[in-house]
Amino acid sequence: MLSSEPNTAVSGTQAAVAPADPGLTMELLELELSLDGFEPDAGTFADHVRAAAAAIDGALLFELPASGLIAGCERIAVMRIPQDGSPVMTTVFACLESDGTTIRIEKPDERTADLRNFAEAFVDVLQRI
């Protein structure tokens, strides 16, 4: 039975369950798993991101130096991925962290709104060609 109340029947202690991230879709989860284990000797960051995006019917738009736009990030790959299994695409960023091997996914926010807007304009131009 599903309940919104916490489970307290586990050995007299309250079970700690993290709330589900409402923005975490299957596509984002698959993408995160595909990006895990990046080896710089095995190929470029862009190649790795391109393959991971293609695996979920997404696309790498472009990649560029982070230039301080996202903290702790060396390079940013801008991608379009399906939203909730529909043909609607959403923009996300794959961030290569300063260690050179860890990649994390970031959703656009206030500080990256200009980059998201540029990406969407880029897609618009490509669709018109």
Side-chain angles (χ1 to χ4, degrees):
M1 180 170 86
L2 294 176
S3 171
S4 61
E5 300 203 14
N7 181 1
T8 57
V10 181
S11 304
T13 62
Q14 186 172 358
V17 177
D21 180 354
L24 185 63
T25 64
M26 283 302 287
E27 291 84 5
L28 280 176
L29 182 59
E30 283 183 56
L31 185 61
E32 290 241 358
L33 292 172
S34 294
L35 291 171
D36 195 31
F38 172 59
E39 298 281 336
D41 296 336
T44 68
F45 169 61
D47 290 340
H48 190 70
V49 172
R50 182 178 291 108
I56 60 166
D57 297 325
L60 169 68
L61 299 178
F62 53 87
E63 99 34 73
L64 65 157
S67 302
L69 186 60
I70 297 177
C73 180
E74 215 173 271
R75 300 200 66 77
I76 301 171
V78 180
M79 296 175 290
R80 299 279 286 167
I81 63 169
Q83 182 176 313
D84 300 324
S86 74
V88 174
M89 302 292 272
T90 189
T91 301
V92 296
F93 308 127
C95 303
L96 180 62
E97 293 190 7
S98 299
D99 67 8
T101 60
T102 305
I103 301 172
R104 72 178 188 272
I105 299 297
E106 293 264 337
K107 291 183 179 181
D109 60 16
E110 306 83 42
R111 68 178 188 231
T112 57
D114 289 339
L115 182 56
R116 182 198 65 229
N117 293 341
F118 177 78
E120 289 172 0
F122 180 79
V123 169
D124 188 47
V125 167
L126 289 177
Q127 288 175 341
R128 291 173 190 237
I129 294 178

